[in-house]
Amino acid sequence: SEFTMGQRAGWGVVVAVALTTVDTGPRAVHAMDNGLARTPPMGWSSWNAFGGAQSQEKMVTIGDAVVATGLRDLGYVNLAIDGGWRSFMKEGPPPSGSVGPAGWDFKNLSKYYHSLGLKLGMYVTGGFEAVYQQEAAWAEVMFGEWDADGVKVDHMCQGPSCGGGPEGHMMAPQFQQPTIERWVAAIAAVNKTQEVLFQNCGIGCAPATGSAQPQPWGDWCPKTANMWRSGGDINPLFSTIVGEVANLAGRGHLSGPGGWAYPDSLEVGNQHKGVGLTPQQTRAHMALWCITSSPLILGNDIRAMSPDDLAVVSNRVAIGVNQAWAGFAGDMLNASLFPPVNASKHNATNLPKVSVWWKPLPNSSAAVVLLNSGGGNGSSVGFQFNELAWEGEPALASSLGCHIQEVWSGDEVGVFNDGFSTTVNATAAFFGVISGCNAAP
């Protein structure tokens, strides 16, 4: 999608999002080049809604709901089956000619999804003995016979891929990159008509150094996957959501067309022990995923989605910010002042309670999220316009006469010189678009 600024009507700034084209010009690092994920992927995954209790019937009705709610037409087209459809610890690759285990018919499910304009994603546990170093057989069945359109490769381990560690934990770092590279090669070798959206479900980009200790992220994830997990499993607690996005602080340069850091699926509409996110936390959650160009993968039961939650994930301006590309994926301002608690990832506890996240947009515009992740009745959060720069290039044409529009209401906040600040409630965020800056009076 391309984010474009429309005509001003009176003092208001009209923001339009054209969901048809995208500027995939300069990018920071070499990324996977299979023609897919030129913008952050959008879709739905079964795990947070159903755990291991998904079924063919649920997948069919979720597909129907994605169409009926209008989510498909907004770009939410990649629908994925997560873990639980098969016991990877006990069973080898499906035999040629099979349609799936009992109760499943993946060939017809993918055919039905394709008739709706949707795509089917699969899941495998890449470190289990029934899968490890048998990637070619799995790829042939899933993509050559079932016509699936994507796969999530989990790093949970069993046997030699654990590198001497306990089963059921993450694959040892020295085995992660080679395993993912074997999957990429196996998918490429399948005689298929579709390209395959490839997801690496590790925790960051552990280098293949042989060390089991946390290491600084490498750049191999974006080179070998269209989307790659940047942290652990999410849940619908605001502290966890902030912790997930905190892992991206200082790492905006790693994402771009073809490969995107993925802080797990959205928890909009879900609950933890009977308690879900508040409306302001829900909006902050969506805003943080949009400002960091994170894949927008829904994780709730769309069939029972509330109108308010649907409105948040359907907001065209928010989606436009997420899908836009102007050379940089988005990041936290001054992230270098808050080093990670270990060499592998950030943690919410070592980030400031208030922070500014930003992303450049085409046409000398930018988006900002002013986050208050802490307690209290509200805190002032602000920034200077000239701080919005990447590799010395300012995002805005000037620091004068800048119009700011609040995303959720669509209202223009005002016209500002030099900078902007506002009071943000605890566990909430201000999400705005800056445009029209002009040095002329």
Side-chain angles (χ1 to χ4, degrees):
S1 309
E2 181 180 342
F3 188 93
T4 57
M5 308 307 296
Q7 299 295 317
R8 290 195 182 88
W11 60 272
V13 176
V14 179
V15 178
V17 181
L19 299 174
T20 53
T21 60
V22 61
D23 173 13
T24 55
R27 65 143 309 157
V29 297
H30 174 70
M32 192 172 190
D33 189 16
N34 59 358
L36 299 180
R38 307 311 295 167
T39 61
M42 298 172 62
W44 175 88
S45 179
S46 67
W47 184 258
N48 287 356
F50 303 130
Q54 69 269 60
S55 67
Q56 180 103 358
E57 184 270 339
K58 288 177 180 176
M59 294 301 296
V60 168
T61 54
I62 285 291
D64 292 339
V66 169
V67 176
T69 56
L71 290 168
R72 176 198 61 184
D73 297 336
L74 291 169
Y76 293 95
V77 298
N78 299 288
L79 276 55
I81 301 164
D82 211 296
W85 70 268
R86 185 178 184 86
S87 175
F88 293 99
M89 188 173 285
K90 300 176 181 178
E91 304 174 63
S96 178
S98 71
V99 295
W104 290 97
D105 184 342
F106 293 128
K107 178 71 174 180
N108 276 323
L109 181 58
S110 66
K111 183 178 180 180
Y112 183 63
Y113 273 13
H114 295 162
S115 75
L116 297 179
L118 303 172
K119 298 181 179 182
L120 175 64
M122 301 298 299
Y123 169 97
V124 295
T125 309
F128 282 6
E129 291 180 342
V131 181
Y132 186 68
Q133 296 187 331
Q134 299 183 64
E135 294 85 2
W138 282 95
E140 183 61 43
V141 171
M142 289 192 294
F143 310 117
E145 298 188 21
W146 297 344
D147 294 330
D149 304 282
V151 64
K152 169 183 174 180
V153 178
D154 204 323
H155 283 200
M156 297 297 286
C157 71
Q158 175 198 25
S161 71
C162 293
E167 290 189 0
H169 288 252
M170 294 302 294
M171 185 185 297
Q174 64 266 35
F175 298 110
Q176 292 179 18
Q177 182 176 351
T179 297
I180 295 303
E181 290 174 344
R182 285 197 306 273
W183 268 101
V184 172
I187 292 169
V190 174
N191 182 17
K192 60 190 184 304
T193 58
Q194 77 280 27
E195 293 295 341
V196 173
L197 185 75
F198 186 65
Q199 180 186 162
N200 168 10
C201 184
I203 301 180
C205 305
T209 61
S211 171
Q213 299 302 312
Q215 298 290 318
W217 283 5
D219 62 1
W220 64 270
C221 281
K223 294 178 181 178
T224 56
N226 297 122
M227 48 192 289
W228 39 279
R229 281 281 294 277
S230 53
D233 291 345
I234 199 170
N235 62 49
L237 296 175
F238 194 70
S239 58
T240 303
I241 287 165
V242 171
E244 291 287 351
V245 81
N247 290 340
L248 301 180
R251 290 166 174 157
H253 63 286
L254 288 175
S255 290
W260 307 91
Y262 173 43
D264 212 349
S265 55
L266 290 160
E267 288 282 19
V268 175
N270 286 333
Q271 294 187 340
H272 177 74
K273 297 181 178 180
V275 179
L277 300 173
T278 67
Q280 68 175 20
Q281 290 171 347
T282 295
R283 293 190 294 271
H285 180 17
M286 180 70 172
L288 288 167
W289 263 235
C290 290
I291 203 73
T292 53
S293 301
S294 298
L296 299 180
I297 307 298
L298 304 175
N300 62 310
D301 188 345
I302 296 170
R303 302 169 304 178
M305 198 169 193
S306 75
D308 288 344
D309 288 339
L310 179 61
V312 169
V313 301
S314 300
N315 186 286
R316 288 176 174 265
V317 178
I319 293 171
V321 169
N322 175 263
Q323 298 284 289
W325 180 251
F328 183 53
D331 209 332
M332 188 180 83
L333 276 184
N334 302 315
S336 62
L337 300 179
F338 303 93
V341 293
N342 61 46
S344 175
K345 60 183 180 179
H346 279 278
N347 183 287
T349 59
N350 78 315
L351 291 181
K353 293 297 183 183
V354 297
S355 56
V356 177
W357 298 73
W358 80 284
K359 177 182 177 178
L361 302 175
N363 305 318
S364 298
S365 303
V368 292
V369 170
L370 312 184
L371 173 67
N372 178 1
S373 62
N377 295 324
S379 298
S380 178
V381 190
F383 63 98
Q384 297 297 302
F385 293 141
N386 61 11
E387 292 184 275
L388 306 184
W390 179 61
E391 293 189 346
E393 291 293 325
L396 305 174
S398 167
S399 291
L400 302 177
C402 295
H403 295 250
I404 297 183
Q405 181 190 35
E406 201 272 330
V407 167
W408 305 116
S409 66
D411 294 338
E412 180 165 295
V413 180
V415 182
F416 300 87
N417 296 322
D418 300 324
F420 174 74
S421 67
T422 190
T423 298
V424 181
N425 291 335
T427 69
F430 171 88
F431 189 9
V433 172
I434 308 168
S435 67
C437 302
N438 192 334

